[in-house]
Amino acid sequence: MNITIATLGELLVEFLAKKENQGFSTPGEFWGPYPSGAPAIFADQVAKLGFCSLLFSCVGNDAFGEMNIARLARDGVNVKGISVLPNATTGSAFVSYRTQAQRDFIFNMPNSACGLLSAGHLDEELLQQCHHFHIMGSSLFSFRLIDAVRKVIGIVKENGGTISFDPNIRKEMLNIREMSQAFEYILDYTDFFLPSDGELDYFGLSKFRDEDKIVGSLHQRGIRHVVVKRGPRGSSYYSADEQYHVAGCPVTVVDPTGAGDCFGATFVSLFLAGYSVPDALAHANAAGSLAISQRGPMEGTSTLAQIEALLSQQSG
């Protein structure tokens, strides 16, 4: 498959609290480190599906950075866009679970290597190879990163490519002024918008109450494909003249991190490869389910064969 799908943003390590409601204010045990970062999970999933996957990011010259690069390279991601910064440390996140669905995070990103990623780190030759660019809202936490996103959007659009945007909103980041300002700019260039059903409220779209009207307002803005993620309830697709609703694949939840990233990577990759919308949605739902069935944010990325095995099992 010769479609090259690129993404940009945080590449870090993640530590997971072993006990529910463990919190961060008292000593406790954690699993980790695990390779992580929403764009990195997306890129890993694209590669495991057999597509050309390119990630732009930065890590420190440390063991955490080495681990991340080695893992992505092993799974087939083109890691030439990852810069190793000698005077910075690789980003990190600590996660505590209130329930299987509710999590609290402490992020070390703005002051880490990935927080220093700028337009100057982007290799122009690699950018010219990109057919599609995926943007994660969680990556828009500094002016440097936003400028880098703008640069990639300009080059990909100039070359006739497409853009997808997953708002991926984290409450810990909503007070970052640069992030909310960038959302409006990016939506103007978005071809595929992939919010969760709960994220529509953030964009002030809940005033319509009726989801069809919400989606209609997005289409009027120029967004051609709207895909709403509904977790275990599946997902929905809306274009100007089509809509589809596909049920989810129920599995036992081990770790919810990465489900939306794997969903988005699978839907976008397979849609661009010519899969029908219902098939792309079904595969994306299965990819999200496989993601949450493994502990660790990137440990549940899946191949096409693994996705199809789950779909076959569910239909049987």
Side-chain angles (χ1 to χ4, degrees):
M1 300 178 183
N2 58 5
I3 301 168
T4 296
I5 298 173
T7 189
L8 172 158
E10 64 270 24
L11 178 55
L12 47 92
V13 292
E14 192 164 302
F15 296 86
L16 312 177
K18 286 189 174 183
K19 295 181 180 178
E20 202 167 275
N21 293 311
Q22 181 171 310
F24 301 119
S25 59
T26 58
E29 295 183 338
F30 289 79
W31 280 295
Y34 291 108
S36 189
I41 298 167
F42 179 96
D44 196 78
Q45 179 63 36
V46 169
K48 289 187 78 170
L49 291 170
F51 294 86
C52 297
S53 178
L54 176 60
L55 175 65
F56 293 99
S57 190
C58 294
V59 295
N61 185 20
D62 51 39
F64 290 160
E66 291 173 4
M67 179 183 73
N68 271 305
I69 292 173
R71 167 60 185 274
L72 292 167
R74 185 195 80 192
D75 287 349
V77 177
N78 183 342
V79 296
K80 293 180 180 178
I82 301 173
S83 300
V84 178
L85 307 185
N87 298 316
T89 56
T90 301
S92 61
F94 289 79
V95 187
S96 176
Y97 297 85
R98 294 191 213 171
T99 66
Q100 287 183 329
Q102 292 184 306
R103 296 161 289 166
D104 291 318
F105 293 85
I106 292 180
F107 289 108
N108 169 31
M109 291 200 303
N111 299 314
S112 71
C114 64
L116 299 175
L117 176 65
S118 68
H121 290 108
L122 303 179
D123 185 306
E124 296 276 353
E125 188 175 334
L126 288 174
L127 283 175
Q128 294 297 333
Q129 300 172 18
C130 300
H131 301 98
H132 181 87
F133 178 48
H134 181 74
I135 303 163
M136 288 288 187
S138 59
S139 302
L140 305 172
F141 58 82
S142 76
F143 282 123
R144 283 187 293 264
L145 278 154
I146 292 166
D147 286 344
V149 166
R150 287 174 182 261
K151 179 176 181 177
V152 182
I153 288 174
I155 291 173
V156 171
K157 282 289 189 178
E158 185 178 338
N159 290 338
T162 49
I163 306 293
S164 55
F165 178 38
D166 180 346
N168 195 28
I169 296 169
R170 301 267 171 80
K171 64 182 177 63
E172 288 83 0
M173 296 180 175
L174 288 178
N175 62 346
I176 300 175
R177 182 167 51 91
E178 297 91 337
M179 180 178 288
S180 58
Q181 291 173 343
F183 279 175
E184 289 298 316
Y185 168 82
I186 291 167
L187 284 171
D188 287 338
Y189 294 90
T190 296
D191 299 288
F192 298 82
F193 185 46
L194 297 98
S196 66
D197 46 8
E199 285 173 331
L200 292 176
D201 291 349
Y202 176 79
F203 293 91
L205 299 169
S206 59
K207 63 185 177 184
F208 293 107
R209 296 187 181 176
D210 181 88
E211 190 166 277
D212 288 338
K213 291 182 179 178
I214 294 174
V215 171
S217 71
L218 293 167
H219 289 151
Q220 288 175 6
R221 188 167 186 152
I223 299 171
R224 291 181 289 162
H225 312 282
V226 179
V227 181
V228 181
K229 297 171 289 185
R230 307 186 191 280
R233 293 178 291 118
S235 56
S236 301
Y237 168 89
Y238 301 90
S239 69
D241 50 10
E242 287 183 305
Q243 59 177 268
Y244 299 95
H245 307 278
V246 176
C249 298
V251 296
T252 300
V253 178
V254 176
D255 181 359
T257 304
D261 311 322
C262 291
F263 175 98
T266 302
F267 179 83
V268 168
S269 299
L270 298 186
F271 183 97
L272 293 174
Y275 279 58
S276 71
V277 170
D279 272 353
L281 284 177
H283 282 71
N285 289 342
S289 292
L290 288 168
I292 65 176
S293 65
Q294 301 293 323
R295 179 176 291 111
M298 202 183 288
E299 305 316 297
T301 55
S302 51
T303 64
L304 198 56
Q306 290 171 318
I307 290 170
E308 291 176 346
L310 178 59
L311 290 172
S312 176
Q313 176 187 329
Q314 297 274 332
S315 63

